[in-house]
Amino acid sequence: MYSQHPEILPLIPAMSFIRYINSQHFPVLPVAAGSLIGFSSPQNGPLFIGALIDEFGLSPALSGSVLAIEISAIGIGAAIWATQASFLTGRILVLLGAVAFIAGQCLSIIAASTVALIAARTIVGIACGAIYTATNICASRASNPDRTLGVAVAVTMAIYAVTMPVIGFSINLAGADGAFYGYIGLIVVLLPFLLRLHGSAPKGIETKAIRFPRSLLIILLLSVIFLNIAQGAAWMFSERVGQNLGLSSAHIGAIMGVGTAAGVVGSASAGWLGVRWGRTLPMVAGFSGVGCACLLLNTASAPWSFVFAVTAYWIVYMFSYPYILGTGAEADPTGKTAAIVGAALLFSMGIGPLVGGFMSTFTSPGTLGWSALALCLIAACLLIPVTRYLSLTRSHP
């Protein structure tokens, strides 16, 4: 509308910009809102695990299992919803997910046992999976998926930088219930943006499809799985590292908020860089950096080194994340491959707390950190044939 009336632009530049980043071709705000909900469990996982240990008296292994089930449910839900993407629009996926999300949070508040809590969190996970699927499909169908994801995730990280300290304070004040009430308020506020997660591609985008061999899809999924098992195990128990250094939940939440703010730098850099240097170099460097950050995170010996490790982790992981989904989007602009990659990402991230809980119970944090580094390096090596294939296909269609 504004392009037809250029004389209006000087009067309302802010409204014009918001309309642009909320559009079908560059849906930054809807994708940011969907990422915020889809990643709420892994994002706040360390604080949630700490609350389960302190409030319910669960062991690290059992508390890790509760979170692992919730995050795995997001991955499983995303995979199931992705198979229905041809029949359900983004708006229907969002509405179904939002209703189930609120119901799951309410059930979590009244849960009287660990079994009831697990059931409630599973509902939340499946609900997040529906919204996450709609988010990835919408991003894949944008005119520039890598840039859309990079900028959208930067916006998400900026919001997380504010909400994480608030959630840490809420847990300190009211236990896990404080987080559950906060999640309900969050999705209500974000719903208008979530309903903009469209289900149709802009005209002409279907012509960009690349024939992506099944063998390379399997390799890509294995790479994503190894990376996120590693970082899921290391990140989810980082709160315990902070506790061992004498930091309170409120202080740890504030530190993680600062680290999350730094993640804006990583995702914004990915959005700016795009595929100017191809995918191989940025993704291999990013995956290797995630492994190094996981090692630093679990071997921190002082509060300052813990702050540095959290900050480094968020910069390198959020630099890598847009490229992960962007790779699936380049292989298949319909969004289905990106949805499957996103499902694998979250499912494997859900396995991470199980691995981390086991290793935290029976081994040292240093062992967990070195193991995470090894898995990340393997994931980086697996990526190379996938990114090379896409690069050659892009050069010689």
Side-chain angles (χ1 to χ4, degrees):
M1 181 182 72
Y2 297 140
S3 60
Q4 298 173 358
H5 303 281
E7 69 279 2
I8 301 178
L9 289 176
L11 302 177
I12 44 175
M15 290 181 62
S16 178
F17 178 72
I18 291 173
R19 184 180 180 86
Y20 174 61
I21 62 176
N22 198 34
S23 68
Q24 193 177 43
H25 288 272
F26 194 48
V28 168
L29 294 182
V31 171
S35 299
L36 197 67
I37 295 298
F39 252 78
S40 58
S41 299
Q43 174 74 26
N44 299 303
L47 298 175
F48 185 59
I49 283 180
L52 292 179
I53 293 173
D54 297 335
E55 186 176 340
F56 291 90
L58 303 182
S59 67
L62 186 54
S63 60
S65 298
V66 173
L67 185 63
I69 291 170
E70 178 176 347
I71 299 175
S72 296
I74 302 176
I76 294 171
I80 293 172
W81 292 115
T83 63
Q84 304 301 312
S86 300
F87 310 102
L88 299 175
T89 66
R91 179 166 294 184
I92 292 176
L93 283 173
V94 166
L95 289 173
L96 290 173
V99 170
F101 184 87
I102 293 173
Q105 303 297 350
C106 292
L107 291 173
S108 299
I109 293 169
I110 63 175
S113 66
T114 304
V115 173
L117 180 63
I118 289 174
R121 301 318 295 172
T122 301
I123 293 172
V124 171
I126 293 173
C128 289
I131 296 172
Y132 191 63
T133 296
T135 301
N136 290 335
I137 291 175
C138 180
S140 297
R141 293 173 173 176
S143 298
N144 190 325
D146 290 284
R147 183 157 296 166
T148 297
L149 284 163
V151 177
V153 173
V155 173
T156 302
M157 291 297 99
I159 298 173
Y160 271 138
V162 176
T163 59
M164 278 200 79
V166 173
I167 288 176
F169 177 78
S170 299
I171 290 175
N172 227 27
L173 191 66
D177 287 355
F180 302 148
Y181 283 116
Y183 286 144
I184 294 173
L186 182 64
I187 197 168
V188 170
V189 171
L190 294 178
L191 194 57
F193 299 102
L194 293 172
L195 291 174
R196 293 283 298 166
L197 292 169
H198 59 77
S200 58
K203 292 181 180 179
I205 201 168
E206 295 84 353
T207 61
K208 298 191 303 180
I210 293 173
R211 290 185 178 179
F212 196 56
R214 187 181 297 270
S215 58
L216 288 182
L217 175 59
I218 293 172
I219 293 173
L220 174 60
L221 293 177
L222 284 175
S223 176
V224 171
I225 287 169
F226 285 159
L227 176 79
N228 286 283
I229 287 176
Q231 69 85 21
W235 167 249
M236 295 306 170
F237 283 87
S238 59
E239 192 265 356
R240 292 291 96 181
V241 176
Q243 290 278 4
N244 292 336
L245 294 175
L247 300 171
S248 68
S249 295
H251 286 141
I252 294 171
I255 291 170
M256 290 181 175
V258 171
T260 303
V264 174
V265 176
S267 54
S269 298
W272 171 81
L273 183 61
V275 292
R276 289 186 179 91
W277 294 354
R279 294 188 183 276
T280 304
L281 179 60
M283 293 186 77
V284 168
F287 280 32
S288 301
V290 171
C292 293
C294 289
L295 176 61
L296 292 173
L297 196 58
N298 283 270
T299 56
S301 57
W304 71 265
S305 59
F306 181 72
V307 173
F308 176 80
V310 170
T311 303
Y313 165 82
W314 277 111
I315 290 175
V316 291
Y317 186 75
M318 298 321 300
F319 175 81
S320 302
Y321 176 74
Y323 280 108
I324 294 173
L325 295 180
T327 300
E330 182 174 356
D332 173 21
T334 66
K336 292 181 181 179
T337 299
I340 292 171
V341 170
L345 183 151
L346 281 166
F347 180 76
S348 54
M349 193 180 288
I351 298 174
L354 288 174
V355 176
F358 178 83
M359 296 190 73
S360 295
T361 302
F362 298 105
T363 65
S364 67
T367 301
L368 174 58
W370 282 107
S371 300
L373 173 60
L375 273 179
C376 289
L377 293 177
I378 293 172
C381 292
L382 286 172
L383 267 177
I384 295 174
V386 177
T387 55
R388 289 291 298 161
Y389 175 85
L390 290 175
S391 177
L392 291 172
T393 306
R394 195 186 315 117
S395 302
H396 306 285

